[in-house]
Amino acid sequence: MVSLQLEGRTVVVTGAGQGQGAAEARLLAESGARVIATDLSAVIPAGLGAGSSASAGALVYRQLDVSDEAGWSGLASWIRSQGWQVDGLVNNAGITQRSRLLDASVADLKKVYEVNVAGSVLGIQALSPLMRSGSSIVNVGSVAGLTAHYPVAYTASKWALRGLSQVAAMELGPRGIRVNTVHPGFIETPMTAGAKPEFRQSTLAETPLGRTGSVEEVAGVVLFLLSPLSSFVTGAEMPVDGGQASHGGAKSISDALH
Ligand code: NAP
């Protein structure tokens, strides 16, 4: 049996109250990690508790707004007070904002940037000092960070996150800390539950696998990137998108020529 070697490792997951973050927290705990699941809610979100009883590791919940610098220092102090180090960080928390190019305000751009980009910067600043060699950081991007995409503030934030990831991989690599990015495509979560039918249909038409993804399919890749199985992988970007970003628009041509 292959061991993921997460036993005894402490991993922080942001935005873990629902959707992909909750699935990541559950899978990591099931794989033996001590998971510190964080989200905006003051009490442990219902979706996070479900399934944790089957965990091999442990799952504790802490309130954290990723855009709040003091919140990150508080979390780091609490982790230190427990006598723990940090072996993994999943910068998963993210918000979307659907205004189009000619309508987006500076306030729209700032709001998304504060969570999707600054939230990840603050997380790395607060927790990397608690990391030793062999630790791993996973940033959650999006196919919107690989191509053009219709919501401009969200798209720009996910491209910015790629830049952050590469800087972090370069600067933290000498300390033995790896930094990688996953880029989910259309994943069924509360974030996408309200997507217009037109968005769903057009996305499926652009997706070679012809379906949407599940939160477990993203969590599995995050688990791999946190585990020592990926010990020589850093600065990498992995789409988890059914092939959506891979064809550069050629799928509609291929489909038309059938
Ligand atoms: P989701 O269902 O909306 O869950 C996101 C979680 O993050 C929620 O629990 C949310 O809390 C929390 N959150 C929001 N703002 C926060 C903040 N300032 N601090 C801490 N937590 C905060 O989203 P998801 O679909 O699982 O997405 C997870 C990540 O994947 C995001 O980075 C997203 O951009 C990315 N992604 C998703 C998709 C997709 O198709 N679902 C595709 C590409 C990329 P509240 O509910 O209380 O606001």
Side-chain angles (χ1 to χ4, degrees):
M1 194 175 106
V2 174
S3 166
L4 293 162
Q5 298 171 37
L6 289 184
E7 293 79 10
R9 289 180 161 244
T10 300
V11 181
V12 174
V13 182
T14 66
Q18 62 181 28
Q20 292 171 42
E24 288 152 9
R26 286 195 299 264
L27 182 64
L28 291 165
E30 283 165 22
S31 305
R34 175 196 291 124
V35 177
I36 302 171
T38 67
D39 207 305
L40 292 173
S41 165
V43 292
I44 183 164
L48 193 54
S52 60
S53 58
S55 296
L59 193 151
V60 290
Y61 178 76
R62 304 284 298 178
Q63 183 178 24
L64 175 72
D65 177 343
V66 295
S67 64
D68 175 19
E69 192 169 0
W72 276 110
S73 341
L75 179 69
S77 302
W78 178 78
I79 293 171
R80 272 200 193 90
S81 74
Q82 303 297 308
W84 300 338
Q85 289 178 308
V86 175
D87 305 284
L89 167 63
V90 186
N91 283 315
N92 165 79
I95 57 172
T96 189
Q97 210 289 334
R98 297 198 167 96
S99 45
R100 305 295 297 259
L101 177 61
L102 299 186
D103 302 319
S105 64
V106 171
D108 293 339
L109 292 164
K110 280 185 176 166
K111 188 174 168 209
V112 178
Y113 197 92
E114 268 184 11
V115 177
N116 296 5
V117 188
S120 301
V121 175
L122 293 173
I124 292 169
Q125 289 174 338
L127 298 190
S128 61
L130 279 67
M131 292 180 174
R132 58 196 160 181
S133 180
S135 300
S136 170
I137 296 170
V138 178
N139 292 328
V140 180
S142 169
V143 288
L146 294 173
T147 63
H149 202 49
Y150 78 96
V152 64
Y154 182 75
T155 302
S157 77
K158 292 298 186 179
W159 278 83
L161 183 64
R162 292 178 70 190
L164 164 65
S165 299
Q166 302 311 76
V167 171
M170 178 178 70
E171 293 207 7
L172 298 178
R175 287 181 46 203
I177 301 171
R178 301 183 293 111
V179 185
N180 294 290
T181 309
V182 296
H183 292 296
F186 191 134
I187 309 298
E188 301 286 356
T189 71
M191 182 185 273
T192 49
K196 288 183 178 170
E198 298 86 335
F199 176 76
R200 181 177 287 270
Q201 281 152 18
S202 319
T203 306
L204 289 178
E206 295 290 349
T207 304
L209 290 186
R211 65 174 177 83
T212 58
S214 70
V215 291
E216 289 78 14
E217 289 176 307
V218 179
V221 178
V222 170
L223 171 62
F224 166 70
L225 291 172
L226 287 173
S227 83
L229 290 179
S230 57
S231 54
F232 203 47
V233 180
T234 194
E237 304 189 75
M238 186 159 314
V240 188
D241 67 347
Q244 185 188 345
S246 66
H247 55 79
K251 184 170 184 301
S252 60
I253 301 169
S254 171
D255 291 349
L257 295 177
H258 259 302

